[in-house]
Amino acid sequence: MLVRAFIPAHITAFFFPRFHENPMKAGSFGAGVNLNRGTNVIVSIEEGMENHIHVAFNGKPVKRRAARISYGVAEEIIPEGFRGDVEVWQYFDFPNGHGFGNSAGGALGTALALAYSFKNRTLLQAAQVAHAHEVINGGGLGDVIAQLHGGIEMRIKAGAPGIGVVDSIFFDDYRVLAVPLGRLSTREILKGDVIEKIEFEGRRALDMLLNSPTPENMMRLARDFAEKTGLLDGELLEIARELDRVLRLPSSMVMLGRSIFALLRPDEVQSAVGVLDDLSIENYSICEIYNEKPKVGRWTG
Amino acid sequence: MLVRAFIPAHITAFFFPRFHENPMKAGSFGAGVNLNRGTNVIVSIEEGMENHIHVAFNGKPVKRRAARISYGVAEEIIPEGFRGDVEVWQYFDFPNGHGFGNSAGGALGTALALAYSFKNRTLLQAAQVAHAHEVINGGGLGDVIAQLHGGIEMRIKAGAPGIGVVDSIFFDDYRVLAVPLGRLSTREILKGDVIEKIEFEGRRALDMLLNSPTPENMMRLARDFAEKTGLLDGELLEIARELDRVLRLPSSMVMLGRSIFALLRPDEVQSAVGVLDDLSIENYSICEIYNEKPKVGRWTG
């Protein structure tokens, strides 16, 4: 049987972390947007004599040490009594490490597809397994719960799915420009000195967004957060400023990746693309906002 | 500007109430299913000199005393400084009072469409307004939060959206047969002697469903609940038994309406329709399970 799960890419606009020794209580506060591109996970299950789990990223098999989160999720959800082969094929629309939630997408997609197949977990139970392995392995804190909700989301209480609380902002006709430019280690940033600024600016941004919950306000607060924390600087800041010249709302930095994003009205797409062309940036996507729950179901190809 | 919201009809399979003087903490535990038919709310807003709110059900204007919940929701969400006419047109695919969540659908649709229009509330804030007016006016306890989540849902912690917790059960290829047969007053049943049985049987059913979270198990537990509480009897029980003769899973009673529902595999639709024809029951629907969030957006007709 083949089962497919689609998990949206998730861009964090601003955030502050909540560390906790209990992974169910660890998470993040903040806001972000889910995209109609992201991670597809296809799970194949065949009964047999021995147990094997295989994980592949974009068609290439990966060893356990390079995919601890996915192997951990699979081992926890596959029932003890099961004997056979489980293959987990993960396909990513965005490059890894650039801030689009691939790690959480792979973890959540694996969890949902396996729970759907074995019928042994609810949606929240499966998502909690994904969240816990993300947190324990330093993959991320808030992507899983954000991806589970879709849309333009606000994490107003940190924690695992079913414990944290996610709210949504209403939006109308926006596209999302996503420009992945380089990798950034979430883990190193969360350990560095910038964390105090992130705590202060992130909390302030969330309070202000709750006072006036609009996509426009989110983008202004995101850019403030990115500049005041000092995370957005150098080449990235220059690109953001070039985009600002032709867009109504400020662009900002993807938290956390060396990547830029912006909300575009349909009539702004052409000029945004023009700016990127002038900068010789070829790798970008114009996405829709994904305002649904993740999709899980039998896959017939 | 016209804004439309679609809210799925919601059938409760089994439940037990949580009464609380704070409407944010009142709600219900239980399980149920959301349908791809339900309530469409179209809101029209025109600025003017004076404030008027008009509510209409299925095209017919209704006075405040017949639509306290919708008027209450509208008054709370329309900003104080607004001057003009607000029309709230609610269209129901199922008859009122038959257990399909029309009251909550109207309240939630009104709240979401107005919050979308005025951009002054988040999704959860708007849904909490709908929940509070439902609870205060005895419209229902758990429909709003269930409709907000979609799919086959389990209310595992009672309360308003953002406070209560809703989980989901994975399902594959099922249709929902919905047979509305008559009205039933939720309020009177919740005040009657049957409430003790509902508490006991509802809690037991939810525990058992969490142990084995499948749609098949939900239907067996729903039928047990309906019979053991004594709510399913007489003509309704006879109809359920007739349907059982041709279906793999037990049918059950909609909580709370004089209505029957069943999960059908595609190959069971014809025989279920045959049974209803034999019983001369003409008013029924074969629906899809609605596994999305409510839809809200500008309406262009």
Side-chain angles (χ1 to χ4, degrees):
Chain A
M1 183 170 77
L2 291 179
V3 170
R4 188 191 82 132
F6 170 76
I7 312 296
H10 173 253
I11 292 172
T12 294
F14 61 79
F15 76 105
F16 59 100
R18 188 190 183 206
F19 302 109
H20 199 287
E21 60 189 14
N22 177 352
M24 291 296 103
K25 294 186 178 173
S28 64
F29 294 83
V33 57
N34 290 281
L35 311 184
N36 69 337
R37 297 185 199 172
T39 304
N40 280 283
V41 178
I42 295 161
V43 162
S44 149
I45 297 171
E46 279 191 31
E47 293 191 27
M49 300 295 283
E50 286 178 54
N51 282 8
H52 292 292
I53 299 173
H54 310 270
V55 176
F57 291 170
N58 291 329
K60 288 184 194 152
V62 284
K63 292 247 159 49
R64 173 178 298 265
R65 67 173 175 278
R68 277 184 219 283
I69 295 172
S70 297
Y71 279 97
V73 167
E75 282 165 359
E76 190 167 338
I77 295 187
I78 296 168
E80 270 189 36
F82 175 79
R83 291 285 168 276
D85 274 352
V86 174
E87 294 175 7
V88 179
W89 300 84
Q90 302 182 3
Y91 296 91
F92 305 105
D93 290 331
F94 291 97
N96 282 324
H98 285 57
F100 292 90
N102 284 9
S103 165
L108 183 55
T110 301
L112 300 189
L114 289 173
Y116 179 96
S117 305
F118 288 112
K119 301 181 189 305
N120 62 344
R121 291 280 198 296
T122 65
L123 182 76
L124 287 180
Q125 289 164 357
Q128 287 178 351
V129 173
H131 172 87
H133 286 270
E134 269 278 288
V135 168
I136 291 164
N137 292 284
L141 290 165
D143 284 327
V144 166
I145 195 170
Q147 289 164 332
L148 200 61
H149 279 77
I152 300 185
E153 55 76 33
M154 266 185 293
R155 278 150 281 141
I156 58 176
K157 185 186 160 201
I163 292 155
V165 177
V166 182
D167 201 346
S168 303
I169 297 176
F170 293 105
F171 60 90
D172 42 28
D173 202 13
Y174 278 116
R175 308 282 178 280
V176 183
L177 170 67
V179 191
L181 292 155
R183 300 174 71 99
L184 206 60
S185 165
T186 300
R187 201 188 306 214
E188 280 173 29
I189 288 192
L190 293 183
K191 281 181 183 167
D193 289 342
V194 70
I195 192 70
E196 281 180 31
K197 283 185 187 163
I198 289 175
E199 296 272 4
F200 181 81
E201 295 296 338
R203 196 177 295 269
R204 188 178 149 273
L206 186 58
D207 285 347
M208 291 184 72
L209 187 55
L210 278 164
N211 269 334
S212 173
T214 65
E216 296 78 24
N217 199 25
M218 180 183 78
M219 288 311 297
R220 288 182 207 109
L221 293 165
R223 178 62 169 273
D224 265 8
F225 174 87
E227 291 203 37
K228 286 184 177 160
T229 54
L231 289 164
L232 176 59
D233 66 358
E235 185 204 358
L236 251 59
L237 182 56
E238 280 170 37
I239 296 169
R241 286 184 177 148
E242 287 300 312
L243 283 167
D244 292 349
R245 290 172 49 195
V246 301
L247 300 179
R248 295 187 192 93
L249 293 176
S251 57
S252 196
M253 180 182 165
V254 171
M255 300 292 159
L256 282 163
R258 285 186 50 77
S259 304
I260 293 290
F261 78 108
L263 295 187
L264 310 180
R265 294 289 188 193
D267 66 356
E268 294 178 308
V269 170
Q270 211 181 337
S271 36
V273 166
V275 168
L276 296 172
D277 282 349
D278 289 347
L279 294 167
S280 303
I281 293 170
E282 289 172 4
N283 187 20
Y284 61 83
S285 300
I286 313 280
C287 301
E288 305 279 332
I289 298 172
Y290 183 80
N291 198 18
E292 299 183 34
K293 303 193 280 187
K295 296 254 175 275
V296 201
R298 274 170 194 269
W299 196 62
T300 48
Chain B
M1 182 170 78
L2 291 178
V3 170
R4 187 192 83 133
F6 170 76
I7 312 296
H10 174 253
I11 291 172
T12 293
F14 61 79
F15 76 105
F16 59 100
R18 188 191 184 206
F19 302 109
H20 199 287
E21 59 188 15
N22 177 352
M24 291 296 103
K25 293 186 178 173
S28 65
F29 294 82
V33 57
N34 290 282
L35 311 183
N36 69 337
R37 297 185 201 174
T39 304
N40 281 284
V41 178
I42 295 161
V43 162
S44 148
I45 297 171
E46 279 191 33
E47 293 190 29
M49 300 294 285
E50 286 178 54
N51 282 9
H52 292 291
I53 300 173
H54 310 270
V55 176
F57 292 170
N58 292 328
K60 288 183 195 153
V62 283
K63 291 248 160 50
R64 174 178 298 265
R65 66 174 176 278
R68 276 184 219 284
I69 295 172
S70 297
Y71 279 97
V73 167
E75 283 164 0
E76 189 167 339
I77 294 187
I78 296 168
E80 270 189 36
F82 175 80
R83 290 284 168 278
D85 274 353
V86 174
E87 295 175 6
V88 179
W89 300 84
Q90 302 182 2
Y91 297 90
F92 305 105
D93 291 330
F94 291 97
N96 282 326
H98 285 56
F100 292 90
N102 284 9
S103 164
L108 184 56
T110 302
L112 300 190
L114 289 174
Y116 179 97
S117 305
F118 289 111
K119 300 180 189 309
N120 62 345
R121 291 281 197 296
T122 65
L123 182 77
L124 288 181
Q125 289 164 357
Q128 286 178 353
V129 172
H131 172 88
H133 286 270
E134 268 278 288
V135 168
I136 291 164
N137 292 285
L141 291 165
D143 283 327
V144 166
I145 196 170
Q147 288 165 332
L148 199 61
H149 278 77
I152 300 185
E153 55 77 32
M154 267 185 291
R155 277 150 282 142
I156 59 176
K157 184 186 160 200
I163 293 154
V165 177
V166 182
D167 203 346
S168 303
I169 297 176
F170 293 104
F171 60 90
D172 41 26
D173 203 12
Y174 278 115
R175 307 283 178 280
V176 182
L177 170 68
V179 191
L181 292 155
R183 299 174 71 98
L184 205 61
S185 165
T186 300
R187 202 188 305 216
E188 279 173 29
I189 288 193
L190 293 182
K191 280 181 183 167
D193 290 343
V194 70
I195 192 70
E196 280 179 32
K197 283 185 189 163
I198 288 174
E199 295 271 3
F200 180 82
E201 296 295 339
R203 197 177 294 269
R204 188 178 149 275
L206 185 59
D207 286 347
M208 291 184 73
L209 187 55
L210 278 164
N211 270 334
S212 173
T214 65
E216 297 77 24
N217 200 25
M218 181 183 78
M219 289 311 300
R220 289 183 206 108
L221 292 165
R223 178 62 168 272
D224 265 9
F225 174 87
E227 291 204 35
K228 286 183 177 162
T229 54
L231 289 164
L232 175 59
D233 65 358
E235 185 203 0
L236 251 59
L237 182 56
E238 280 170 38
I239 295 168
R241 285 185 178 148
E242 287 300 313
L243 283 167
D244 293 347
R245 290 173 49 195
V246 301
L247 300 179
R248 296 186 193 93
L249 293 176
S251 57
S252 195
M253 180 183 166
V254 171
M255 300 293 159
L256 282 163
R258 285 185 50 77
S259 305
I260 292 290
F261 78 109
L263 294 187
L264 310 180
R265 294 289 188 193
D267 67 356
E268 294 178 309
V269 170
Q270 211 182 336
S271 36
V273 166
V275 169
L276 296 173
D277 282 349
D278 289 347
L279 294 167
S280 304
I281 294 171
E282 288 171 7
N283 186 19
Y284 60 84
S285 301
I286 312 280
C287 301
E288 305 280 331
I289 298 172
Y290 183 79
N291 198 20
E292 299 183 36
K293 303 194 279 186
K295 295 255 176 276
V296 200
R298 273 170 193 272
W299 196 62
T300 48

